[in-house]
Amino acid sequence: MDPYKYFPDRRPNEEIVMLLRRHWHSMLRHFLLFVVEFFLPLAALFAFFYFTDFVFEKESPVGIVIILASSAYFLFIWLFFFNHWIDYYLDVWIVTNQRILNIEQEGLFSRTISELNLEMVQDATSEVKGKVATVLNFGNVYVQTAGEEKRFVFEEIPAPRQVASKIIELHQSAVKRAAVEEMKEATSKSLGEKDTISSPQKNETKTF
Amino acid sequence: MTFPLYLILILYLLAIIFYLILSVVLLYHIFRFGYWDSSTKLMIFLYFAGSLIILVSAGIYIAGIDWSENVSILNNTEFNINFF
């Protein structure tokens, strides 16, 4: 699959520099919750049958209800865990050589895409808070902008300090590139004006 | 009160249909918006494998049950032992 399918309106000469997702630690709590929800009822059922005299035949109506209800329960637990993973997976920050995109999946049928031109970046700050974040090196990056959305936030991304530095570097390159293009445009405009002034006087001698 | 046993099966099948619809929705999202890397492939494989294990186990169990029987509960003043 095309890596650029994340944003179909790719600009000319635009290349992806960084494709970022939340650190795996943010999925860890969902995974632990899944493990608890999956194994705790099993443990509870075993304990119940072990410590009580309650007995039933597996072909009896009670047995059928318990087994089919358990099957449906585990299927839905598995489905919800997959849903959490998709939510984590589809939240992406893309930094290209021209802009920053924030693609956020909010639930199943809601998706928000924000973008920011690199020339509009004013500041990039990284933040790592807490023992776990320090050990695993993940945190937030806040990008101050001159645009309508004053602050772009990268949440719980790995290596936030390096990401912030890279954004500043790309911003400086983008500003230089924009200045060069502006100069080229200004030069070509002024050359064009000179041509229109000089062209009616065909007998004028040009000196260099 | 007496009801046919296959009523429980119908309820279970409705739950499975609901589960399949939601699964299709999730897979649509992953194929439409996702990036086809190794973690995606692994997760989809695990999801299918886990679901198949549960569904096949339930299917084997369901195949061994005589669903034409009737269930009677609370018919007498005493608790009906046949329920268990």
Side-chain angles (χ1 to χ4, degrees):
Chain A
M1 282 188 187
D2 183 8
Y4 292 96
K5 74 188 283 289
Y6 274 116
F7 52 110
D9 53 342
R10 181 186 165 197
R11 296 175 185 171
N13 303 319
E14 187 172 23
E15 303 289 334
I16 292 180
V17 176
M18 289 187 288
L19 197 145
L20 302 162
R21 288 193 177 90
R22 284 190 175 84
H23 195 269
W24 54 261
H25 175 263
S26 66
M27 266 305 288
L28 188 62
R29 40 178 184 267
H30 292 301
F31 177 72
L32 290 174
L33 192 65
F34 163 74
V35 167
V36 165
E37 287 172 346
F38 198 88
F39 290 106
L40 198 63
L42 276 176
L45 271 175
F46 279 127
F48 176 72
F49 293 126
Y50 185 76
F51 291 111
T52 65
D53 295 327
F54 187 80
V55 175
F56 65 89
E57 296 289 326
K58 64 176 181 171
E59 288 87 18
S60 66
V62 167
I64 290 170
V65 167
I66 288 177
I67 290 170
L68 292 188
S70 305
S71 164
Y73 170 79
F74 290 127
L75 275 174
F76 278 96
I77 292 298
W78 191 223
L79 180 86
F80 292 145
F81 176 70
F82 190 53
N83 179 40
H84 283 303
W85 181 83
I86 286 177
D87 193 34
Y88 153 82
Y89 176 79
L90 292 182
D91 284 351
V92 176
W93 291 274
I94 302 172
V95 181
T96 73
N97 57 348
Q98 296 181 18
R99 52 183 171 157
I100 301 173
L101 285 115
N102 176 13
I103 303 173
E104 210 163 315
Q105 188 77 26
E106 296 155 355
L108 281 183
F109 297 101
S110 176
R111 192 170 167 83
T112 306
I113 300 176
S114 320
E115 67 177 75
L116 167 73
N117 283 325
L118 279 171
E119 292 101 347
M120 304 291 276
V121 170
Q122 291 180 325
D123 182 48
T125 310
S126 65
E127 178 189 74
V128 176
K129 271 188 179 176
K131 301 179 197 68
V132 177
T134 306
V135 168
L136 297 177
N137 190 25
F138 69 88
N140 302 332
V141 171
Y142 302 100
V143 178
Q144 197 69 29
T145 81
E148 197 177 307
E149 194 172 334
K150 294 296 173 193
R151 213 182 186 199
F152 237 66
V153 183
F154 292 58
E155 292 171 1
E156 293 184 341
I157 56 165
R161 181 73 202 100
Q162 288 84 337
V163 169
S165 302
K166 191 68 184 175
I167 289 172
I168 294 291
E169 189 186 310
L170 288 168
H171 158 70
Q172 287 164 351
S173 305
V175 165
K176 273 184 200 167
R177 206 169 41 239
V180 164
E181 277 173 25
E182 212 177 301
M183 265 178 58
K184 277 184 187 170
E185 211 178 299
T187 311
S188 63
K189 267 186 187 170
S190 65
L191 281 174
E193 281 171 7
K194 276 186 188 172
D195 283 342
T196 55
I197 290 167
S198 63
S199 60
Q201 301 170 13
K202 289 179 186 175
N203 296 326
E204 189 183 69
T205 308
K206 289 183 183 175
T207 56
F208 295 94
Chain B
M1 190 176 79
T2 307
F3 62 87
L5 199 58
Y6 60 75
L7 214 63
I8 302 173
L9 179 64
I10 287 170
L11 288 172
Y12 177 73
L13 289 176
L14 284 173
I16 295 304
I17 287 168
F18 185 55
Y19 163 80
L20 289 173
I21 290 169
L22 289 179
S23 296
V24 166
V25 168
L26 290 182
L27 288 169
Y28 163 77
H29 274 80
I30 202 87
F31 283 118
R32 169 94 192 270
F33 302 116
Y35 179 50
W36 198 244
D37 58 3
S38 54
S39 61
T40 312
K41 291 177 193 170
L42 178 65
M43 197 60 207
I44 291 174
F45 170 75
L46 284 175
Y47 182 69
F48 274 120
S51 306
L52 268 174
I53 287 170
I54 297 170
L55 286 171
V56 167
S57 309
I60 291 169
Y61 172 74
I62 287 167
I65 302 291
D66 182 11
W67 296 100
S68 57
E69 287 183 8
N70 285 330
V71 177
S72 51
I73 55 169
L74 304 172
N75 273 349
N76 304 323
T77 51
E78 290 176 6
F79 191 66
N80 194 339
I81 298 170
N82 289 336
F83 191 68
F84 296 101

